[in-house]
Amino acid sequence: MENNRENFGSKLGAILAAAGSAVGLGNVWRFPIETGQNGGAAFIIIYIVCILMLGLPIMISEFLIGRHTHSNTAGAYRILSNGGRWKWVGRLGVFCGWFILCYYSVVGAWTMHYTYLSLTNAFSDIPATQYGEIFSAFTSDPWIPTLWLAAFILIAHYVITRGVQSGIEKFSKLMMPTLFIITIVLVVCSVMLPGASQGIEFLLRPDWSKVNSTVILGAMGQAFFSLSLGMGCLCTYASYFEPSTPLAKTAVHVSVIDTLIAIMAGFIIFPSVFNIGMDPNEVGAGASLTFISLPNVFNQSFGNGTFLAIIFSTLFYFLLFVAALTSAISLHEVATAYITEEFKFSRRRGATLITVSLLVLGTVCSLSFGPLADVQIFGRNIFSLFDDFSGMVLLPLGGMLISIFAGWILDRQLYRDEISNRGDIPTPYFKVLIFSLRYIAPLAIGLVFLDQLGAFDILKK
Ligand code: TRP
């Protein structure tokens, strides 16, 4: 339909952009600790099985829906459903992306502040017990996190307004290799620490006795979030793929990059944790791992206030910042493409509208650690409400609907034509793919969904 739409200029650009979306905070602040605590290599194997059984089929479907329609996510489902009720899946996706971005940007902003703190050697001579206070003093401040938030969102805005090729693609081609190099440098520094082998053992030693249904459901949820599935990020990016981009191969590349970075993040974190003799079960997860435990762990491991400690810590938070930014850009693009195409706005105006809304709601999320801390909805502060509602409700719902749509509703011939690039690529996996989309994925995601809503809590006790 829209014939003056931009495309990614190269296949590499397409892969790096999609990988930029996938590689994000989830890879660093959840995957390593989940792996270490839930059976090491056993967890990784389960995670990979989840990717093969659910992740790839859904990613390929999202790619296909985007590329076939050359449209934003809402438009894509509207076109494919001929305006029927399945169009709501696309709209849900756009809403979900925007919703995630509101709180994701807040954390992106924190990574900027921590990059700055590391660079200015703010962690030297700080007793281990004070890192928590530093973090809560920072997040509860009404101004500093808000200013970083504005900076974070405006950088994403700048890239988005430059367009698909000279914005998103160019930026991904610069940032993803940078991210990869920083990761490798950090891994190398980390594994040279005394005691590193214990950390690696913690991360990798297979322990099947830890694997139970909760762990498996956790692995599925993690695979889903980490691969940016369930709302149309990859569908939007795929709408910029060239007709010759091989969809299944690209999906495999993106999944491999995402998983490698996640595993390497574990190699960055655990050698240091063991090096200072800390109990890995005490480091926490998510924000407390990243902003309370790790600054202390790195500062102690590499020598309090030394050059090496400064460099290591600065690079680590910068890495997180880049990872978060490229993911944020992909989320922003979903909403921008929607506004621009469905309401015929110019790219600049569409992006500005989204950015302004993000600045407002993001600030509200950010202030929920400070002046708005007392505002509790369903027993959560506003930030957690955004986080939980998108992670526990919108994403699983979206993922389930997408797999049902792709498996049951979408025309089989259209599916086949699109993944084979109209017969150019053999697709021996076609039947397995459809089987997964029809039965395995909806069922599995349904279970994750029920589990996250607490339906199985009685059984677990
Ligand atoms: N995958 C990213 C991460 O690991 C976050 C992300 C970006 C995302 N786009 C998404 C998550 C879409 C779910 C859906 O941090």
Side-chain angles (χ1 to χ4, degrees):
M1 40 176 270
E2 293 87 2
N3 33 22
N4 52 1
R5 266 178 126 249
E6 269 190 275
N7 267 351
F8 288 128
S10 66
K11 296 196 180 57
L12 181 68
I15 294 175
L16 292 182
S21 173
V23 176
L25 296 165
N27 299 57
V28 182
W29 85 358
R30 270 235 87 86
F31 181 88
I33 188 73
E34 257 188 69
T35 305
Q37 288 175 342
N38 296 326
F43 181 87
I44 295 180
I45 291 170
I46 290 171
Y47 182 80
I48 292 173
V49 171
C50 292
I51 288 187
L52 291 175
M53 283 187 357
L54 314 169
L56 283 176
I58 296 182
M59 193 186 293
I60 293 171
S61 305
E62 290 202 26
F63 277 172
L64 179 149
I65 290 167
R67 194 190 52 185
H68 180 77
T69 53
H70 291 296
S71 176
N72 70 89
T73 301
Y77 285 85
R78 179 171 39 73
I79 294 167
L80 287 173
S81 65
N82 293 320
R85 25 168 210 263
W86 286 94
K87 67 172 183 274
W88 285 97
V89 178
R91 295 176 178 174
L92 178 78
V94 175
F95 175 73
C96 177
W98 174 79
F99 206 72
I100 292 180
L101 193 49
C102 291
Y103 79 87
Y104 200 84
S105 308
V106 173
V107 186
W110 294 349
T111 65
M112 292 174 86
H113 183 65
Y114 270 65
T115 308
Y116 165 77
L117 289 182
S118 305
L119 193 64
T120 51
N121 201 13
F123 299 131
S124 104
D125 294 328
I126 304 279
T129 47
Q130 284 211 347
Y131 286 85
E133 284 157 40
I134 294 179
F135 180 63
S136 42
F138 160 61
T139 49
S140 61
D141 187 277
W143 288 107
I144 304 174
T146 313
L147 291 173
W148 284 117
L149 175 75
F152 185 82
I153 294 176
L154 290 176
I155 297 173
H157 176 82
Y158 171 75
V159 176
I160 292 285
T161 48
R162 300 207 40 166
V164 173
Q165 262 190 34
S166 32
I168 300 171
E169 181 172 3
K170 207 165 147 197
F171 190 74
S172 306
K173 278 182 157 166
L174 180 72
M175 282 312 176
M176 292 313 286
T178 308
L179 184 143
F180 209 70
I181 293 170
I182 298 178
T183 307
I184 291 178
V185 170
L186 293 177
V187 168
V188 170
C189 290
S190 211
V191 299
M192 287 190 329
L193 286 171
S197 56
Q198 274 172 291
I200 296 168
E201 202 186 312
F202 171 76
L203 184 71
L204 294 184
R205 194 190 45 214
D207 180 357
W208 290 97
S209 71
K210 296 246 174 74
V211 176
N212 55 30
S213 58
T214 317
V215 169
I216 297 176
L217 292 176
M220 275 193 237
Q222 172 64 19
F224 227 72
F225 186 85
S226 193
L227 294 177
S228 300
L229 298 176
M231 43 71 52
C233 248
L234 298 181
C235 173
T236 303
Y237 271 8
S239 72
Y240 309 124
F241 284 3
E242 297 162 318
S244 59
T245 304
L247 299 184
K249 208 164 141 190
T250 305
V252 172
H253 284 311
V254 172
S255 308
V256 169
I257 295 175
D258 188 63
T259 309
L260 275 182
I261 301 267
I263 295 174
M264 289 204 281
F267 278 80
I268 295 174
I269 294 172
F270 290 115
S272 296
V273 170
F274 278 85
N275 178 258
I276 66 163
M278 209 167 159
D279 178 353
N281 296 308
E282 307 270 289
V283 295
S288 69
L289 166 76
T290 314
F291 300 105
I292 299 175
S293 300
L294 290 183
N296 171 38
V297 165
F298 293 152
N299 184 52
Q300 284 193 42
S301 278
F302 293 96
N304 176 20
T306 58
F307 181 68
L308 191 60
I310 295 173
I311 294 290
F312 190 92
S313 178
T314 306
L315 281 179
F316 177 78
Y317 288 104
F318 185 70
L319 169 79
L320 267 179
F321 162 66
V322 172
L325 184 61
T326 49
S327 298
I329 288 169
S330 74
L331 289 161
H332 197 308
E333 179 61 22
V334 175
T336 299
Y338 167 69
I339 294 275
T340 325
E341 291 175 10
E342 301 290 307
F343 300 96
K344 308 273 176 282
F345 279 16
S346 70
R347 189 170 183 82
R348 182 169 294 276
R349 271 191 70 196
T352 306
L353 210 75
I354 298 299
T355 297
V356 170
S357 71
L358 288 172
L359 286 171
V360 174
L361 273 163
T363 302
V364 172
C365 283
S366 182
L367 293 179
S368 71
F369 292 95
L372 299 181
D374 291 337
V375 183
Q376 300 271 326
I377 305 165
F378 300 121
R380 297 163 163 84
N381 72 4
I382 300 169
F383 178 94
S384 307
L385 185 77
F386 272 66
D387 182 1
D388 289 345
F389 185 61
S390 47
M392 292 161 77
V393 181
L394 296 177
L395 281 181
L397 188 65
M400 200 156 72
L401 292 174
I402 291 171
S403 60
I404 296 173
F405 181 74
W408 294 92
I409 312 288
L410 207 59
D411 179 55
R412 197 64 66 83
Q413 194 54 41
L414 182 155
Y415 201 105
R416 185 164 223 151
D417 282 350
E418 199 65 42
I419 48 169
S420 67
N421 285 355
R422 284 145 306 278
D424 283 351
I425 307 170
T427 52
Y429 45 80
F430 185 67
K431 281 217 172 79
V432 185
L433 201 68
I434 296 291
F435 182 79
S436 166
L437 289 169
R438 292 196 128 188
Y439 303 101
I440 303 180
L443 194 76
I445 302 166
L447 288 177
V448 178
F449 198 4
L450 290 173
D451 180 56
Q452 290 190 338
L453 295 179
F456 304 134
D457 287 357
I458 316 161
L459 303 176
K460 286 178 198 159
K461 294 285 163 232

